[in-house]
Amino acid sequence: GAGVSQSPSNKVTEKGKDVELRCDPISGHTALYWYRQRLGQGLEFLIYFQGNSAPDKSGLPSDRFSAERTGESVSTLTIQRTQQEDSAVYLCASELGANYGYTFGSGTRLTVV
Amino acid sequence: AQTVTQSQPEMSVQEAETVTLSCTYDTSESDYYLFWYKQPPSRQMILVIRQEAYKQQNATENRFSVNFQKAAKSFSLKISDSQLGDAAMYFCAYDSNSGYALNFGKGTSLLVTP
């Protein structure tokens, strides 16, 4: 597709369950980023993939969070044993190359009840 | 880590008027990039404008322009002839040339009144 695609767009889950969020970047974009945006807040960096290099995981808030990306394709963000404080919009972005500027997906709104 | 500060949580402008959103940042680098993103209620983040720090000329994109003051570490966004569709959250972002992810400010909510 022409843009960054994220699925699902909305997810409601029970506390303690695992969830998996998907991001399909723009074809040819080497970099992929995950951010978290709590209600009314700014963007909090989670993880960054650049080509086949080791990802920058410095923003992951706990070991319940993990992400994978195979090559320059789809990425999945997994949250294990979800907590209510995980409720947020999770935004994915991809970038053609360094410093070009991100193209964002529409995000996944996660609600933990 | 570089910090980005947007000191105006909310701003309001009348349709057809001009508004300026403020952004300052803290860095010891000389080569970097700055961005403004718009996030309407649909939550889709949209790139508005991009500035390369080594370029003295201010970037412009149609009704959107920036005032980049490198020495003052200031990067304000001017929206001319404001339209109802400009109502959104606006985020300023800093991009290091060292391979890190974008660092965003907390955002400014812009209200456009008829």
Side-chain angles (χ1 to χ4, degrees):
Chain A
V4 177
S5 177
Q6 290 189 248
S7 61
S9 56
N10 290 283
K11 174 74 176 179
V12 180
T13 190
E14 292 182 350
K15 179 181 171 181
K17 301 275 188 175
D18 297 353
V19 295
E20 190 173 277
L21 312 181
R22 177 187 169 105
C23 174
D24 199 343
I26 293 173
S27 177
H29 281 201
T30 58
L32 186 148
Y33 306 82
W34 284 97
Y35 283 80
R36 178 170 70 180
Q37 187 177 27
R38 291 197 166 109
L39 185 63
Q41 302 295 312
L43 278 73
E44 177 187 359
F45 166 70
L46 297 177
I47 189 167
Y48 159 38
F49 296 91
Q50 174 60 57
N52 292 317
S53 302
D56 176 358
K57 302 179 182 180
S58 60
L60 294 178
S62 77
D63 59 8
R64 296 187 297 104
F65 288 72
S66 63
E68 292 185 351
R69 186 187 188 198
T70 304
E72 295 181 0
S73 62
V74 171
S75 175
T76 54
L77 176 69
T78 301
I79 308 173
Q80 294 179 312
R81 306 180 302 282
T82 51
Q83 304 294 314
Q84 286 187 328
E85 63 261 27
D86 299 334
S87 295
V89 173
Y90 289 82
L91 291 166
C92 174
S94 68
E95 189 177 33
L96 177 62
N99 313 125
Y100 271 69
Y102 297 177
T103 301
F104 281 87
S106 297
T108 294
R109 181 180 299 282
L110 176 67
T111 303
V112 182
V113 297
Chain B
Q2 295 84 6
T3 56
V4 178
T5 302
Q6 294 180 249
S7 58
Q8 306 151 317
E10 293 181 353
M11 291 284 285
S12 181
V13 63
Q14 276 195 315
E15 217 175 346
E17 297 296 309
T18 296
V19 65
T20 299
L21 308 184
S22 300
C23 173
T24 59
Y25 56 94
D26 182 24
T27 185
S28 58
E29 298 178 327
S30 60
D31 191 16
Y32 49 87
Y33 297 76
L34 296 163
F35 299 87
W36 278 98
Y37 283 86
K38 168 185 177 181
Q39 187 179 41
S42 66
R43 84 179 181 228
Q44 174 93 50
M45 295 276 285
I46 301 163
L47 175 62
V48 174
I49 203 161
R50 173 180 179 269
Q51 175 78 43
E52 300 166 42
Y54 63 86
K55 287 189 176 179
Q56 293 190 348
Q57 186 174 7
N58 289 324
T60 63
E61 285 290 340
N62 301 314
R63 299 183 293 107
F64 298 86
S65 61
V66 297
N67 183 4
F68 173 48
Q69 302 287 329
K70 191 172 183 179
K73 297 178 184 175
S74 171
F75 182 61
S76 60
L77 176 70
K78 185 171 84 170
I79 306 174
S80 304
D81 185 26
S82 296
Q83 300 176 1
L84 294 177
D86 295 334
M89 283 289 289
Y90 285 82
F91 292 95
C92 177
Y94 176 98
D95 193 1
S96 168
N97 207 25
S98 305
Y100 296 106
L102 281 184
N103 193 4
F104 287 85
K106 294 188 182 302
T108 296
S109 178
L110 178 65
L111 175 66
V112 181
T113 57

